[in-house]
Amino acid sequence: MHKTQMMANTTPSSSRVTGLLQIIERSAGAGLDDKNLDSVSQATSKILRILGQQEKTLSESIVRKSKVSQALVTLLMTTQDVSLHLNTIHILEHIASSSNSKCTRLVRQGAPHALLRSIAATSRVRPLLEELCIRQHLLLLKLAVKGTTGEKKLALKARLCGVVTVTLDLAKQCINNIDLSTPLLQVLKIYASNSSNSVSLVKNGVLNLMERYFSLYGKQNIAVFRHALDLYTQVLSFRSNASKAASSGATRYLPKSAVFVKFSVFVLSLIWTFHIAGNR
């Protein structure tokens, strides 16, 4: 059998894809119960396989449908099934990666808010669902960077949803997990762009946590170390936090390695400037 014939036999028809998308769309209006959970899960699994085949025409027919992306955002907020939740996030990642306009559409449809709520719900599950946590935070980062929500708007939404300390607690629990630490630290840096969030992070021990990250990853993993340092610098860019750090001696843990000496000098000078200004 020729290769083209084999491809034709394995690639689903456009009508079949339309049927799968309609199952997802109907789930948003009808809600999920035991009766339709299996069908929606199967539909999202098949859609993921189609996207994985990178068949351009079919992939475009999936990512361009506004009703489908809205239904997926609704699924994020309503489903408690881990497998369906992961499938939903993976499809949303494909949509967000396809273009800036599609990413912006997801933001308008409430994807950041849905993700923040799902992060809060996932944090209460034991044992920790690490893969789900990673995908949630990676998608949240993508929406913040490529969408129009902006870091400050996302930071405000995080505070209103009460998930700032949730992500911080996850970073504490997963300090030895490199794969999970990276997106958590990046999201925390976005949260810290809001002054109220930054103060809350300091009150809940973010400076001490970053000291632990410095100690653990100073020689072990430069990428995680850099993200921890970026967060540390972001938190200390607010005068009240910088003054508190200087007076408590938190700067003694700043890295001294040659690779990061410029970062260290910058942070130290920043802290000193705010500390002096605060005492005038």
Side-chain angles (χ1 to χ4, degrees):
M1 185 180 291
H2 294 296
K3 185 176 181 181
T4 53
Q5 291 176 317
M6 293 177 65
M7 288 290 289
N9 290 338
T10 57
T11 302
S13 65
S14 58
S15 60
R16 176 59 176 156
V17 172
T18 300
L20 294 172
L21 296 178
Q22 287 175 345
I23 292 174
I24 296 173
E25 289 177 23
R26 286 197 297 268
S27 71
L32 285 177
D33 53 31
D34 293 338
K35 190 174 182 179
N36 62 10
L37 177 61
D38 285 343
S39 63
V40 177
S41 295
Q42 290 176 19
T44 55
S45 295
K46 291 174 182 177
I47 289 295
L48 269 180
R49 284 198 291 272
I50 295 169
L51 290 171
Q53 292 174 0
Q54 297 182 339
E55 207 289 325
K56 187 175 180 180
T57 302
L58 293 179
S59 295
E60 287 181 352
S61 70
I62 293 170
V63 302
R64 72 166 178 256
K65 289 184 177 294
S66 177
K67 288 184 179 179
V68 172
S69 58
Q70 183 64 72
L72 290 167
V73 170
T74 302
L75 277 178
L76 272 185
M77 293 189 288
T78 56
T79 182
Q80 296 180 349
D81 183 82
V82 176
S83 178
L84 178 55
H85 205 139
L86 274 170
N87 287 349
T88 302
I89 288 179
H90 281 302
I91 298 173
L92 287 171
E93 284 181 327
H94 277 282
I95 296 174
S97 300
S98 63
S99 69
N100 286 348
S101 62
K102 301 294 190 302
C103 193
T104 300
R105 186 182 71 195
L106 287 175
V107 171
R108 289 199 306 266
Q109 291 174 332
H113 181 73
L115 269 172
L116 291 169
R117 287 182 56 181
S118 69
I119 288 171
T122 302
S123 70
R124 294 190 287 269
V125 178
R126 292 294 180 272
L128 183 67
L129 303 172
E130 293 187 358
E131 183 183 0
L132 182 54
C133 285
I134 291 173
R135 302 320 311 182
Q136 287 170 332
H137 284 84
L138 286 175
L139 178 55
L140 192 61
L141 277 172
K142 190 166 292 185
L143 293 175
V145 173
K146 294 184 68 176
T148 58
T149 182
E151 291 189 358
K152 290 186 177 180
K153 288 184 179 179
L154 184 59
L156 178 60
K157 287 179 183 289
R159 180 162 63 86
L160 295 176
C161 290
V163 301
V164 175
T165 54
V166 168
T167 302
L168 179 61
D169 288 340
L170 287 172
K172 292 176 181 178
Q173 297 172 35
C174 304
I175 188 170
N176 293 308
N177 185 323
I178 293 176
D179 291 334
L180 191 50
S181 290
T182 298
L184 290 173
L185 291 172
Q186 289 176 289
V187 170
L188 282 171
K189 181 176 180 288
I190 293 175
Y191 292 170
S193 63
N194 178 283
S195 60
S196 297
N197 290 350
S198 187
V199 171
S200 176
L201 287 170
V202 170
K203 287 181 179 179
N204 285 279
V206 71
L207 296 180
N208 290 334
L209 178 62
M210 292 307 97
E211 291 164 7
R212 291 172 58 197
Y213 269 94
F214 294 155
S215 176
L216 181 61
Y217 291 105
K219 296 180 181 178
Q220 180 180 341
N221 189 292
I222 297 302
V224 176
F225 186 97
R226 189 193 70 227
H227 290 309
L229 190 58
D230 286 344
L231 173 57
Y232 198 88
T233 305
Q234 177 66 56
V235 169
L236 295 180
S237 66
F238 295 96
R239 179 178 297 180
S240 60
N241 291 338
S243 178
K244 183 180 295 185
S247 61
S248 65
T251 58
R252 68 187 182 279
Y253 286 103
L254 281 170
K256 302 301 190 294
S257 63
V259 177
F260 291 101
V261 66
K262 290 184 179 180
F263 287 103
S264 303
V265 170
F266 168 73
V267 176
L268 284 168
S269 62
L270 186 68
I271 293 171
W272 180 252
T273 300
F274 283 136
H275 184 54
I276 294 300
N279 290 332
R280 286 179 180 175

